[in-house]
Structures are given as structure tokens and as C-alpha cells.
Amino acid sequence: VIAAMALTSAALAFVVAVEAFRATDVPRHAQAPRGPPTRSSTAAAGPSSLFEQISLATSQASRRRLYHLVTASSKSDINDLHQRTSHNGSLESKTWTFRNKYPISYEVAKNIDTDGNDSVLETVPILLLNGFGVGSFHQHSLMQQILRLESKNEKQRYVIYGIDYLGQGRSWPENCDDGDSEDELGLGYSADTWLEQLKGFVGEIVIPLSSNKKVHLVGNSVGGYLATILAHRHPQLVESLTLMNATPVWGLNLPGWDGNLPPPKFPKLFGRLMFDVIRDVGIIDKYLEAAYVHREAFDGTHDDSFEGCSSDEGRGGQGLGAKIRACTEGKGGHAAFASILWSPPASNLTKNEISASPTPVEFYRALASLPVDVLLLFGSGDPWCTPAVAKRMHTTLADRDGFSAPVVRYVSLENVGHCPNHEAPASVARVLLSWIRAPSLSQSRKETPLVTPGEGDRIGEPW
């Protein structure tokens, strides 16, 4: 069993490594050391794109405040299950029902307009998609930084959504029993299930409140994989796509079971053993140490909750590892993990198509077919989704043809690991809003500076 567990972990690492070696050579300036920050630089990086770098300050002593903190009062809403307010926005926790059966937890963050101008503002929705094993709490720091940068003088108001996938965070069948309950019967925690969930959520919750009936998708890790396939299937719903260290593969797709619950004996036993190993507090901490360049960004030194991120005092909070562990304490986690290990990658099918043997969709082919503008925002210190992986994505997107000149931009975040949304929220918000604010017409997104020279050599992060 121990040998099988080791082989399973090695297999996923090998698949990602193969993707990196298949990439074209990365320019020397794209290789980033995991050491002290360097000065920011800008250089050309291929057709229809810019390659831009941002360096991060790594200590409180070198922090500099670049943005003004906009304050706003809270506003109650009796329809919201829970509402938290901060100095510059509110966070509402809500529930949406998927397939008329499964309660899905999601959150909405926005600034409160005290001048009564909400009705005349253009609503711009941004959907943040998480990586594996976390919930929308992983996006709170980024939500706060986006709200800080929103100006009262803008004609548009940003509404930021975070969502927990079914079988992750706080989104679970109501009566879980290790895959054997009636609510879990026939359920598969697969890429297609999560894509169906996201399509329904965007269509029922996000789009009705959008001024142009489209959404800006922002995906980290497996959230980038899902965002890419969602945009491939439903480009009419997507205004732009931002990929932050997106994983170009889905799980392991182990043989012998399709991932639909209840699991057979061996997958159930194997999934239980593996799940108990990876959710060990020590193992989670080791994983985070590998995924992040700066331990201070995840160890609880800084309060990364929505309320804590509204303060510049830097007070401590609950570490990310403890939050991840808390997501695994229910009765459905073992079966969900086994289902994910065995489930197939995303298919070319939409919800209304039926096939006995659906065809998998290959990530890079989906990427090459996207008719939407794409921003690659990658932490250069990622040990898995390396700059070589980002370079291959950039080359694939830059070679697109047959559309009305879709734009691709590639920004490298120096001294940042696998989760830029959480480790470098100030940097991500700065680049992301420059990207979103640029009109898509007349190649504005191609020409708009995403990293402004002279504004500062380094960007201080909240931690």
C-alpha cells in the first residue's frame, strides 16, 4: 500500500514534468531564483504579447504603500445567510443548489456604494476559481486587494465571486456517509461534474447581474484547468480568461472504476489511506512549504481572512494549513478523494450531450481553440507549473488564428510560488485590474501597460 501511494504521487508529478519538458526553451530572464527580490524588468516575449516581471518585497521593513484604502459602510440584506464587512467592502456567504439537490457554498465580495449610485454603474463580475483542497477562503486576500484598488470615480463596479466545488470546502451532499448514502449514490467528483456546476452557477447567479452578460474567469492551479475548459465549451459567457499557474492535467484517471459512488473495495481502501496521509497536518505543511516561496504568506503570521485583510496591522490569524485540514473533517472526504483519483479528465461533451464513451478534451488543444483574450499570470517559483509550462501555454495561445485577433499577455511574478492569488494578492490585483479595465476593442488589452515602469521596483504584500 505504501509503495502504491508513493507511485501515485510520483505519477502526477511526472505528468506535470513531462508537460514542462515539452515546452519550448524559456528565455534566461524568465528563470527566477527563490531568493531576494530583484528589480522589475520588461522584455519582449513572442508575437502579440509582452513578457513582464514584478518583484516582491519580502519583509515588512521594505514595504511601501502604493494604493489608497477606500472606506465604505456596510449594508444589510435579509436574503443573505451571512454578511461580513470590512473597511473597504462586504463579503456575503450564500448557498446555491446544484442539480436541484446539492447545496453549493459561494461568496460575493463588493464595495458598498454609500452615494446611492449602484443603479447607474456597470456591473463587472469576476469569478475566482480555486485549486484543489481549498475553499473560497483561499481568495479572501485577493478579494480585498481588488476592492482596495477600485475607485469611486470608476463607472463600473466589480462584483467578485468565490465558489467551493462539490466535494471541496463547504460544498457537500447533505447526508454524506463515506460514499454510501442515498445523496451520494451515482455521484462522481469529476472534472465534468465541476464544469457542469460552474456552468450552472455562471448562468443562474453571475450572468443575470452582469451588464454585458459575460464574466471574467480567473483560475489558479486546477481552477485554471477548469476555467480553460469552461471557456472552451462556452466562450459566449467569458469576457476574458486569467490563468494563474494553471495545471494542464486532471488527476490520475486510474483504471478499474469510473469514479461514480459508491466506490469498489480497493479504490475505497486506497482512497482512504491516501486521503488520511495527505490531510495530515505535517504533510499539509510540507506541501505548502513547497508550493509557496514565503512561509509568512501561509503560516498564520498574517491574518488572511477577509476581515483580517482589511487591516494593515499585520496581526496573526489561523494558518492556511489548519483551514485546509478543516475542509477534510466531514464524512464524505475519503470517498470524494477516491472518486477524484479515478475520475476521467474533462470531455468535449456539454450537459445536454449524451455518449456512452465521451472523448476527453486535451488541455492544450482547448487552449489553442479559445476565441477569448487570455492573461497568463504565473509565479516563477512554482516547482510544478514552472516557467517552462507557462511558456508552452503562451506559445500555444500566441499561435492562435481564425479569430478576430484574441490577445495573450504573459506576466511573471518573481519570488512567488504556485498560488499567486494567496501569496501575492497585491501584485495580482494590480495586474488583473489593469487587464480587466482595458477595453477589449481595438487591441487595447494588447497595448495597455500591465506593469507600469517607475511606479515602484517592488510591490509589498500584506503578509
Side-chain angles (χ1 to χ4, degrees):
V1 170
I2 293 175
M5 289 163 52
L7 287 173
T8 301
S9 301
L12 183 57
F14 174 76
V15 171
V16 175
V18 169
E19 296 295 338
F21 281 112
R22 291 175 61 187
T24 56
D25 291 338
V26 182
R28 187 174 183 84
H29 62 260
Q31 303 292 346
R34 295 169 67 90
T38 57
R39 293 178 63 87
S40 60
S41 62
T42 303
S48 305
S49 178
L50 292 176
F51 181 93
E52 297 138 298
Q53 292 181 304
I54 295 179
S55 297
L56 302 180
T58 59
S59 67
Q60 293 288 344
S62 59
R63 276 183 49 177
R64 66 178 68 179
R65 184 174 299 176
L66 298 178
Y67 304 107
H68 176 65
L69 177 64
V70 180
T71 60
S73 62
S74 62
K75 181 171 63 175
S76 62
D77 185 344
I78 60 174
N79 294 320
D80 296 330
L81 296 180
H82 184 56
Q83 175 169 296
R84 285 167 281 175
T85 60
S86 73
H87 289 295
N88 54 298
S90 70
L91 182 70
E92 302 165 318
S93 298
K94 300 186 177 185
T95 301
W96 167 71
T97 303
F98 172 50
R99 293 181 179 173
N100 297 317
K101 185 175 184 179
Y102 304 114
I104 301 298
S105 174
Y106 73 97
E107 296 181 310
V108 186
K110 60 183 178 181
N111 277 322
I112 303 299
D113 182 49
T114 58
D115 299 326
N117 296 324
D118 273 341
S119 60
V120 299
L121 294 175
E122 176 186 359
T123 300
V124 179
I126 304 171
L127 176 57
L128 307 179
L129 299 180
N130 318 311
F132 176 78
V134 296
S136 57
F137 59 80
H138 202 227
Q139 308 288 357
H140 287 173
S141 297
L142 179 56
M143 289 175 172
Q144 275 285 3
Q145 292 297 327
I146 292 175
L147 295 181
R148 286 188 177 203
L149 296 181
E150 183 181 74
S151 171
K152 280 192 173 183
N153 297 324
E154 290 189 67
K155 295 182 179 180
Q156 51 191 18
R157 181 69 72 237
Y158 303 109
V159 181
I160 312 164
Y161 296 87
I163 187 171
D164 294 356
Y165 312 126
L166 183 60
Q168 304 278 287
R170 294 179 295 173
S171 296
W172 295 89
E174 290 187 337
N175 299 300
C176 290
D177 186 20
D178 203 19
D180 295 322
S181 72
E182 183 177 348
D183 286 343
E184 296 169 289
L185 183 63
L187 174 62
Y189 294 101
S190 66
D192 280 343
T193 297
W194 287 356
L195 286 163
E196 180 189 342
Q197 172 192 332
L198 293 174
K199 168 60 168 58
F201 178 75
V202 169
E204 295 179 27
I205 302 298
V206 179
I207 293 300
L209 299 179
S210 171
S211 296
N212 69 346
K213 304 306 177 185
K214 291 187 176 183
V215 61
H216 292 276
L217 289 180
V218 182
N220 170 235
S221 191
V222 75
Y225 172 91
L226 295 171
T228 299
I229 307 303
L230 185 64
H232 167 69
R233 290 182 177 182
H234 309 285
Q236 74 281 3
L237 300 178
V238 181
E239 176 62 28
S240 77
L241 174 65
T242 299
L243 302 180
M244 293 186 291
N245 295 72
T247 53
V249 294
W250 167 267
L252 296 176
N253 191 21
L254 299 177
W257 177 41
D258 62 3
N260 292 329
L261 301 178
K265 289 184 179 180
F266 176 73
K268 186 173 185 177
L269 173 62
F270 182 79
R272 173 172 290 278
L273 291 173
M274 279 289 291
F275 189 64
D276 284 340
V277 168
I278 68 167
R279 74 192 188 110
D280 177 80
V281 175
I283 297 297
I284 292 174
D285 188 71
K286 291 295 184 184
Y287 167 79
L288 292 176
E289 278 193 339
Y292 285 67
V293 174
H294 303 286
R295 184 174 181 86
E296 301 94 328
F298 70 83
D299 66 359
T301 302
H302 168 72
D303 187 354
D304 64 352
S305 68
F306 188 82
E307 300 91 332
C309 293
S310 68
S311 171
D312 284 326
E313 297 174 2
R315 61 182 183 273
Q318 185 183 31
L320 179 59
K323 295 179 182 179
I324 293 175
R325 170 70 190 200
C327 294
T328 70
E329 299 292 353
K331 295 182 178 181
H334 295 90
F337 184 74
S339 177
I340 291 170
L341 287 179
W342 264 264
S343 66
S347 69
N348 270 316
L349 301 179
T350 64
K351 179 182 177 181
N352 297 324
E353 293 177 322
I354 299 176
S355 173
S357 56
T359 304
V361 56
E362 202 271 331
F363 176 85
Y364 285 101
R365 289 188 178 182
L367 205 63
S369 70
L370 293 179
V372 301
D373 296 340
V374 181
L375 169 64
L376 300 175
L377 191 53
F378 270 62
S380 65
D382 189 338
W384 307 298
C385 299
T386 62
V389 174
K391 182 64 176 179
R392 185 185 177 193
M393 293 182 189
H394 172 263
T395 302
T396 300
L397 289 162
D399 289 343
R400 289 177 297 175
D401 55 18
F403 306 112
S404 57
V407 176
V408 56
R409 300 284 291 275
Y410 177 12
V411 176
S412 175
L413 298 176
E414 299 300 302
N415 302 308
V416 181
H418 185 64
C419 305
N421 56 302
H422 189 260
E423 186 173 10
S427 303
V428 169
R430 173 185 170 185
V431 176
L432 182 61
L433 282 190
S434 295
W435 167 259
I436 289 175
R437 284 168 175 157
S440 58
L441 300 176
S442 304
Q443 293 289 299
S444 293
R445 285 205 185 107
K446 178 181 178 181
E447 301 164 359
T448 297
L450 301 182
V451 182
T452 305
E455 190 172 353
D457 294 334
R458 300 174 180 176
I459 298 177
E461 293 298 331
W463 45 266

